[in-house]
Amino acid sequence: MPNRLSRATSPYLLQHADNPVDWYEWGPEALERAKAEDKPILLSIGYSACHWCHVMAHESFEDETTAQVMNENFINIKVDREERPDIDAIYMQAVQAMTGHGGWPMTVFLTPEGEPFYGGTYYPPEDRHGMPSFRKILGGVSDAYINKREGVESTAAQLREIYKSSIVSARSAGVLDAHVLDLAYRTLAQQYDIRNGGFGGAPKFPATMSMDFLLRYWKRTDTPYALEMALETFRKMARGGIYDQIGGGFARYAVDNVWLVPHFEKMLYDNALLVRFGAHLWQATHDQEVERVTKETLTWVRSEMTSPEGGFYSSLDADSEGHEGKFYVWSAAEIDALLGEDATAVKAYFGVSPAGNFEGSNILHRPFPVEAAASRLGMSPEDVMAAVERSRSILYDARVKRVWPGRDDKILAGWNGLMLRGVATAARAFQSPEFTALAVKNAEFLAREMVRGNRVMRSHKDGVTSIPGYLEDYAAVALGFIAVYELTFDEKWVDHAREITEAMITWFWDEDIGGFFDTAADAEKLITRPRDLTDNAMPSGNSLALDLLLTLSELLHDPDLRRRAVFALESLGPAMMKYPTAFGHALGAADMSINGAIELALLGDLEERDFRSLAAVAAGKYLPSLVLAGGAPGVRTEIALLHERSMKNREATAYVCKGYVCETPTTDPSELADQLDKAPRTPAPLG
């Protein structure tokens, strides 16, 4: 018989609707019952694409005996971390304090007041590898709560102390200057994996925000090694198994340090960041491989991750038919049967062998350049690539007939804002009508379905929009709208972004602490008001908000927006220097604050060839902290970059400015290219 979760909309919660566990969603009903019956709360947090969440569900939550223990001794609450990042962040902080690590599934035991006193992540059904069984944990926690209450209350009191840092007022650490960026760069260079790209060992995650900072640093300082690190990391990933060589898109991370074996789930936010970075990297290098992989990833988003209405889905599962990665791997015999005489070339190119490289099967990857594969086969590189290109669609069509991994089809505002920004950036860089249409359709969906008045909502599924938005939702959606403006020059998107920004300041900024909280002032009151300043798998709401304030302050010439951002960034300066990989996106905002935005105003008729020629020149250039505006002169506009500027000789005219100091206005695309090339290294005026 289905439990209460059968009424949920979250795909993750619905996965547990048939468990024998008496699950509740987070809410007053469960909390009040815990108080009335004086029972501890068992809080289980995960997400739809989480492999180990599925494992623990099959081993424990579907087990009648385990469920009986849970139901008799606990009030059981299941939370989708993607819908409720506030709850996830609060209790993840406690688990990390108790165990030294975190992850999902997360299992936390709370008092009826919601205070944590014990927790961990995955627990096996039997004692294994030094981990106690889940039932042993249940018995021990229940016994402690009943018979050793003083110890439980003491632990809860100690954990309360970890939340005090979130309400400490921000303090400026002094003027933010280029020294912060230099030290961050040196730290990243020391941590760089020279052999394999990226940072650190296994498991290895795409450090996309750090790579984006490296690209900025290269352009500002002309440091070749910064570009080399960014480009080589992207290439190593693109040639590894972490990249889907047949369908496009990147998996969440690699379990090894060489990017070969992925954790096969595909998350929207990872690919959003990689698409935007790929577009920037192509602008910087015009590298054909970067262009191909970025476009393939966008095509995957459009074909497999976009709703009919234009929203972007959240993720694809790692598992299918109960096995991780089964959808994506191949045997040598399958490839022989499908490809015929092209099979030999394709197997050499993608590193396929009879023994395989993953549990007897093959994860497709590119272990060496095409020239090496061609030489081994006595073929020309052109013939090998022709065979590969003929084979991609055949392999994709064969894969489509397999049992698909589950898709989490809820649409999250913040993740959509990140992808919208990526799609719009790539559409402008590649001058692509198809990707432009994708961006505009998503922006219209978000404006229609996810924004209520000027308040942003978190989640949308099956026509229902729910859950008040968090700081990341407001900031990411507004940044996405600004990117669509830079793509289309339709000013309504700036209007939307400004309204959302004003609401963001009203509901999330706190004058007492001098910064943003992650939840709105009128949000549900939890045991603390979360405030995470670090960038993790995706940018923090704080760093996105600071990025937004700086960008909009340049478009509108609003000094108050800049003042807030600069103060908050100054308070992060010491941490950014010491732990740059934890502040990748914030470092990008710091670069904009320190070195100044590059302002580009294009005046003219948007449909005329001369205007489009200037816009195309700008689209092909990598410009860190670019703020772009375009429109006809003399038209009433709120965009300050367009004020008091006119066309020269009735021709489309470009104004390149920095710190309110401008180059000579130009109508010549070649002269504009020269001005843009030197703009990133031109010091911003003082004051």
Side-chain angles (χ1 to χ4, degrees), residues 7-83:
R7 301 191 294 268
T9 56
S10 158
Y12 174 65
L13 299 188
L14 289 171
Q15 288 172 359
H16 296 80
D18 292 318
N19 293 169
V21 178
D22 187 18
W23 289 118
Y24 285 84
E25 292 189 65
W26 182 274
E29 182 183 4
L31 301 176
E32 289 167 8
R33 183 181 166 193
K35 292 175 183 176
E37 299 183 12
D38 190 23
K39 284 185 176 180
I41 293 166
L42 192 165
L43 175 63
S44 177
I45 303 177
Y47 59 102
S48 177
C50 168
H51 170 70
W52 287 104
C53 298
H54 300 327
V55 173
M56 190 167 177
H58 295 321
E59 292 175 341
S60 296
F61 303 147
E62 295 173 7
D63 180 73
E64 294 281 353
T65 303
T66 304
Q68 184 177 354
V69 175
M70 294 171 66
N71 295 338
E72 289 176 356
N73 296 284
F74 302 93
I75 304 302
N76 304 291
I77 300 177
K78 177 64 74 173
V79 166
D80 182 340
R81 78 168 181 102
E82 296 169 354
E83 284 195 336

Side-chain angles (χ1 to χ4, degrees), residues 352-370:
V352 174
S353 69
N357 54 29
F358 177 72
E359 299 178 356
S361 295
N362 290 274
I363 298 168
L364 302 188
H365 68 301
R366 291 184 285 145
F368 30 71
V370 63

Side-chain angles (χ1 to χ4, degrees), residues 89 163-171 469-476 478-479 497-521 528-535 539-553 560-572 583 585-586 589:
Y163 298 119
K164 290 185 177 179
S165 62
S166 67
I167 57 174
V168 173
S169 298
R171 292 286 183 269
Y470 304 98
L471 179 63
E472 69 179 57
D473 297 305
Y474 282 70
L479 285 167
R498 185 183 65 246
E499 291 168 358
I500 291 171
T501 303
E502 291 170 353
M504 182 183 78
I505 292 171
T506 298
W507 294 107
F508 295 87
W509 180 267
D510 188 283
E511 285 293 344
D512 291 337
I513 67 165
F516 290 103
F517 280 103
D518 292 335
T519 55
T528 189
R529 191 177 177 192
R531 182 169 178 252
D532 188 357
L533 302 179
T534 57
D535 299 317
S540 69
N542 183 74
S543 64
L544 287 168
L546 301 183
D547 186 357
L548 173 62
L549 294 184
L550 289 170
T551 302
L552 204 57
S553 73
D560 181 64
L561 297 181
R562 177 174 173 79
R563 174 188 64 80
R564 294 176 192 271
V566 170
F567 178 80
L569 281 167
E570 286 175 351
S571 71
L572 294 177
F583 294 94
H585 196 85

Side-chain angles (χ1 to χ4, degrees), residues 487-507:
L487 175 65
T488 65
F489 299 120
D490 184 341
E491 193 169 335
K492 74 178 182 182
W493 299 115
V494 175
D495 295 337
H496 286 320
R498 185 183 65 246
E499 291 168 358
I500 291 171
T501 303
E502 291 170 353
M504 182 183 78
I505 292 171
T506 298
W507 294 107

